[in-house]
């Protein structure tokens, strides 16, 4: 007898092995092999499953199959065909496979959630010969199709509802909401789904309605984090036979049993529909994260000890169910899983490296129908008890390679570079969405005590890195207010300090250095500080921030309406002061010129202005930026650009560049002029009509009253030709021209 030949060639044999491996529990070899490539809803009333098949060879004496291919449906809780005979479609044998299944068009239809596999029939036995594949476009059946929101800023924060105003003042456009899945099951709210009635916690859901609608109404993108804690009353929420473990804060979702699967998809469908954005009273969730730090099985997604391959396949099933439940309700919602920063550090069969998990998850998803999953990453400093992430490479755990043990803000490019690889992209070739859904920087060092200034610097630098990385969609800080238990562990991540005497309540005490930082630095460096703030809402914050300084006075007034000379006389006995300001750009020039023209005793002025304004202040004759402002500033002070500040340093990002400029006031004016007011009238008249000659500009000026002959005589005496333009004259020449015209001044 001839040796049995299963496949026609070595290549076919290898393909068969791959098929068998991909199927997982389908261990039988078959005479043919198949590969399912696509599975999608078509026209809202059918599901199309397509692929290819390779015929095998039959040895003498062996039983042939019946000449057809059969398609089986497997629910998420089913791992194999076994002895089943209930195929849902069949086709004649061909190298090209296509099955068309009747679909109800309803988001509750189980086929949306099922896997499909091809089998051969030999005798009375059906043997699987293909990979299993899921529907990849459940969003096509969704009722709610509102576009995904695209906020101008990536700035985000886990917001306390009673401190929403504080978040809005900071320009926050993203937030997260933790939703305890296990607490939502059971209660007085009835929900009918797929022929069954489920009871959910209506009181708790109303709390989420209030929170999510408040955020949505303010244009904040809401990200819901689905968490599954332990619930003794509903064992179906957890993997069968799983015991409660003290180290586990949260547990894996259960879709491995029929009851667990049905409860999970019913609840997720309910939540996705409720927060689709169609109901103003409920609000909108745009992002959903399924679980927390999934690569940490022990603490955040406990399913029991298992190797990483088994663990990833288990979670992939959960993610599929969640993805389908959410997308079939809200087409443009995005679905993510999260990992911690342990990129390549695996400690046991309970804690896996994020990269290893991501690689396996991506492979599972690609083999079983590529969907648009995203990553929610947590790039904390290493260690978390020290805020300076920029020197984390000194720990030896952070480097700029794919094999870096840790990936955080120090080497964030490793993460986004990795996701740009072809193998990591979605079915359309796009880089997958990445959000930083949880990060923080402590204001209390484990070794140095309070380091508020370094925390503020870490916030600013991290945001700068994110804003310059086009593959990061959001930057969401972990705490608005410190958590007592974290403070005790030197992890004071909040923007506000917390009342440590109330461990069971979060009571904000004092804002940290991100509020009023400049004034604080001035108070530390100067003997006395007078701060002028027009915004009444900021006064309580400044009072808290500056409460530790007895050398600061805050004036709640409009600086343009204040008699600054009088204030300097009263507060500093008329001696020169230094002015340091962060001003709205539209009032910067009036304030500067007001200080000069009102003869306020000032030693220097340091302000941030638009870069083009800074350039105008310091430029000289003949330059396109040279103008009346250049001459006015240079008459009173020596301008120096301290630093250029690009738009990406701001939150939200402006459209123009900025510069910090220091104006050091002259002890003596650089020129002496008989009539200062006349000189500036001449300067303004010279630049009001740039295309005209100097003579025509002066003759046509409404603020001047010189005859043609007087103007021409003065210009001639200046030694300039009749065609000279004002933008070519120096300050000294304008002073000389003013003195030449002064005798002709009327009145």
């Amino acid at each position: 007898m001839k040796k049995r030949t299963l496949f026609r060639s070595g290549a076919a044999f290898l393909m068969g092995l791959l098929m068998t491996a991909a199927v997982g529990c389908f261990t039988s070899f078959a005479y043919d092999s198949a590969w399912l490539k696509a599975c999608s809803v078509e026209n809202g009333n059918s599901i199309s499953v397509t692929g290819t098949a390779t015929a095998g060879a039959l040895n003498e004496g062996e039983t042939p199959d019946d000449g057809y291919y059969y398609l089986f449906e497997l629910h998420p809780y089913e791992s194999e065909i076994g002895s089943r005979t209930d195929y849902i479609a069949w086709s004649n044998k061909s190298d090209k496979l296509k099955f068309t299944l009747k679909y109800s068009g309803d988001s509750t239809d189980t086929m949306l959630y099922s896997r499909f596999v091809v089998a051969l029939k030999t005798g009375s036995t059906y043997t699987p010969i293909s990979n299993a594949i899921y529907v990849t476009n459940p969003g096509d059946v969704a009722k709610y199709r509102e576009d995904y929101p695209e906020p101008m800023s990536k700035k985000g924060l886990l917001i306390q509802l009673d401190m929403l105003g504080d978040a809005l003042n900071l320009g926050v456009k993203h937030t997260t909401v933790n939703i305890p899945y296990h607490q939502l099951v059971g209660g007085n709210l009835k929900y009918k789904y797929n022929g069954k009635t489920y009871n959910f916690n209506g009181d708790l859901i109303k709390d989420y309605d209030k929170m999510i609608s408040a955020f949505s109404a303010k244009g904040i993108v809401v990200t819901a984090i689905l968490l599954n804690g332990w619930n003794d009353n509903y064992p179906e929420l957890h993997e069968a036979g799983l015991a409660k473990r003290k180290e586990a804060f949260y547990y894996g979702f259960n879709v491995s049993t029929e009851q667990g699967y049905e409860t999970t998809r019913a609840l997720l469908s309910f939540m996705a529909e409720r927060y689709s954005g169609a109901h103003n009273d409920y609000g909108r969730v745009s992002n959903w994260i399924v679980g927390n730090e999934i690569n940490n099985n022990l603490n955040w997604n406990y399913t029991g000890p298992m190797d990483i391959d088994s663990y990833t396949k288990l979670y992939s099933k959960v993610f599929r169910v969640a993805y389908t439940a959410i997308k079939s309700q809200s087409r443009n919602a995005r679905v993510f899983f999260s990992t911690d920063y342990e990129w390549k550090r695996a400690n046991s069969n309970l804690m896996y490296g994020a990269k290893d998990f991501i690689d396996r998850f991506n492979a599972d998803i690609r083999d079983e129908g590529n969907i648009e999953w995203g990553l929610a990453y947590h790039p904390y400093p290493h260690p978390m008890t020290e805020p300076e992430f920029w020197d984390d490479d000194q720990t030896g755990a952070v480097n700029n390679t794919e094999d870096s043990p840790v990936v955080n803000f120090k080497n964030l490019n490793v993460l986004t570079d990795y996701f740009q690889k072809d193998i990591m992209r979605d079915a359309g070739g796009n880089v997958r969405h990445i959000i930083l859904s949880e990060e923080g920087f402590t204001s209390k060092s484990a070794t140095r005590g309070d380091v508020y200034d370094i925390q503020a610097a870490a916030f600013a630098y991290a945001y700068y890195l994110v804003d310059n990385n086009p593959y990061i969609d959001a930057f969401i800080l972990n705490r608005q207010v410190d958590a007592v238990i974290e403070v005790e562990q030197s992890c004071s991540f909040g923007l506000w300090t917390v009342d440590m005497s109330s461990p069971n309540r979060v009571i904000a005490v004092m804002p940290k250095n991100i509020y009023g930082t400049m004034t604080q630095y001035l108070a530390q460096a100067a003997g006395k500080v007078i701060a002028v703030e027009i915004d009444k809402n900021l006064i309580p914050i400044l009072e808290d921030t500056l409460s530790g300084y007895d050398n600061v006075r805050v004036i709640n007034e409009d600086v343009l309406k204040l008699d600054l000379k009088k204030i300097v006389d009263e507060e500093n006995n008329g001696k020169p002061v230094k002015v340091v300001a962060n001003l709205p750009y539209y009032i910067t020039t009036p304030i500067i010129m007001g200080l000069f023209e009102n003869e306020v005793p000032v030693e220097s002025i340091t302000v941030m202005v638009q870069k083009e304004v800074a350039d105008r202040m310091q430029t000289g004759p003949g330059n396109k930026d040279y103008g009346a402002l250049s001459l006015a500033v240079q008459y009173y002070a020596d301008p120096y650009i301290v630093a250029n500040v690009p738009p990406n340093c701001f939150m939200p990002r402006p459209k123009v560049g900025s510069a910090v400029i220091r104006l050091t006031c002259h002890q003596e004016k650089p020129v002496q002029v008989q009539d200062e007011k006349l000189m500036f009238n001449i300067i303004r008249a010279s630049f009001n009509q740039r295309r005209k000659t100097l003579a025509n500009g002066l003759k046509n000026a409404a603020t001047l009253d010189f005859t043609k002959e007087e103007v021409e005589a003065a210009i001639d005496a200046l030694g300039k030709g009749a065609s000279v333009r004002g933008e070519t004259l120096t300050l000294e020449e304008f002073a000389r021209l003013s003195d030449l015209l002064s005798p002709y001044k009327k009145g």
Side-chain angles (χ1 to χ4, degrees), residues 485-661:
I485 189 171
E486 292 178 348
V487 173
E488 293 171 345
Q489 299 169 356
S490 295
C491 291
S492 303
F493 295 132
L495 309 183
W496 290 67
T497 60
V498 68
D499 183 353
M500 296 296 291
S501 65
S502 303
N504 298 321
R505 297 178 61 195
V506 180
I507 303 175
V509 175
M510 184 181 73
K512 298 182 184 177
N513 281 16
I514 65 165
Y515 305 87
T517 299
M518 185 180 74
T519 307
Q520 284 181 276
Y521 285 145
L522 292 175
Q524 295 169 11
K528 192 172 188 178
V529 177
I530 307 298
V532 181
E533 175 56 61
I534 192 173
D535 191 344
K536 293 181 180 180
N537 295 324
L538 292 179
I539 299 303
I541 295 175
L542 287 172
E543 288 176 349
D544 282 339
T545 304
L546 304 171
S547 61
Y549 303 93
D550 57 7
N551 61 336
V552 181
R553 176 190 171 193
V554 179
I555 301 175
N556 185 202
E557 295 286 351
D558 183 350
V559 69
L560 289 173
K561 298 179 180 179
L562 281 177
D563 187 342
L564 295 176
K565 189 174 186 301
K566 181 181 179 182
I567 292 175
V568 174
D569 288 340
E570 293 174 350
E571 298 288 346
N572 203 43
N573 297 319
K575 298 178 181 178
V577 297
K578 293 182 179 180
V579 176
V580 182
N582 185 14
L583 302 168
Y585 288 167
Y586 69 93
I587 64 168
T588 301
T589 299
I591 290 175
I592 291 173
M593 295 311 301
L595 290 167
F596 290 150
E597 293 172 352
N598 293 321
E599 298 181 344
V600 180
V602 174
E603 180 179 327
S604 66
I605 303 170
T606 304
V607 293
M608 185 177 301
V609 297
Q610 286 187 26
K611 188 175 185 307
E612 65 174 288
V613 175
D615 291 338
R616 286 164 53 196
M617 287 182 178
Q618 72 159 10
T619 195
N623 192 288
K624 65 179 179 65
D625 295 321
Y626 187 62
L629 179 62
S630 314
L631 289 156
V633 168
Q634 292 169 31
Y635 177 73
Y636 292 106
D638 178 26
Y640 172 71
I641 294 181
V642 178
N644 290 311
V645 187
N648 51 32
C649 291
F650 297 92
M651 302 175 282
R653 179 173 180 161
K655 295 181 180 180
V656 297
S658 304
V660 177
I661 191 167

Side-chain angles (χ1 to χ4, degrees), residues 455-489:
Q455 182 198 41
F459 285 141
Y461 186 23
Y463 188 83
Y464 170 82
L465 295 172
V466 170
D467 199 47
N468 278 281
N469 193 319
Y471 302 106
I472 304 289
D473 294 342
F475 169 89
I476 307 173
L477 297 174
N478 179 33
R479 290 279 183 266
Q480 189 170 12
V481 182
D482 284 339
V484 172
I485 189 171
E486 292 178 348
V487 173
E488 293 171 345
Q489 299 169 356

Side-chain angles (χ1 to χ4, degrees), residues 2-77:
K2 296 180 180 178
K3 289 185 178 179
R4 181 178 179 183
T5 304
L6 294 177
F7 303 99
R8 291 179 177 175
S9 67
F13 178 70
L14 178 60
M15 179 178 290
L17 289 177
L18 292 173
M19 298 302 108
T20 303
V23 172
C25 57
F26 307 133
T27 56
S28 300
F29 280 103
Y31 304 138
D32 293 4
S33 66
W35 185 256
L36 297 179
K37 296 181 177 181
C39 180
S40 59
V41 176
E42 304 287 345
N43 302 316
N45 57 15
S46 65
I47 291 176
S48 174
V49 182
T50 59
T52 59
T54 302
L58 188 67
N59 293 309
E60 183 179 345
E62 293 181 323
T63 304
D65 59 70
D66 67 355
Y68 300 99
Y69 291 132
Y70 298 88
L71 191 71
F72 281 80
E73 176 187 6
L74 289 168
H75 298 297
Y77 52 87

Side-chain angles (χ1 to χ4, degrees), residues 11 174 215 234 308 388 482 579 613 698 747:
H174 301 264
F215 298 151
Y234 294 90
I308 187 171
E388 302 100 317
D482 284 339
V579 176
V613 175
L698 297 182

Side-chain angles (χ1 to χ4, degrees), residues 184-255:
L184 296 179
V185 182
N188 56 0
L189 194 158
K190 296 187 181 299
Y191 176 64
K192 293 183 178 180
Y193 182 83
N194 199 28
K196 293 185 178 181
T197 300
Y198 296 86
N199 295 314
F200 298 145
N201 188 335
D203 294 334
L204 182 58
I205 289 169
K206 286 180 181 179
D207 290 340
Y208 284 107
D209 293 346
K210 181 180 179 181
M211 186 184 306
I212 294 169
S213 63
F215 298 151
S216 298
K218 297 299 182 179
I220 296 173
V221 176
V222 179
T223 297
I225 305 173
L226 301 168
L227 303 166
N228 187 27
W230 189 264
N231 190 325
D232 287 319
N233 297 322
Y234 294 90
E236 68 270 20
L237 301 182
H238 316 112
E239 287 290 317
L242 192 68
K244 188 176 182 180
R245 183 165 179 163
K246 65 177 182 179
E247 298 95 338
F249 302 110
Y250 293 103
Y251 295 77
F253 295 84
N254 177 31
V255 298

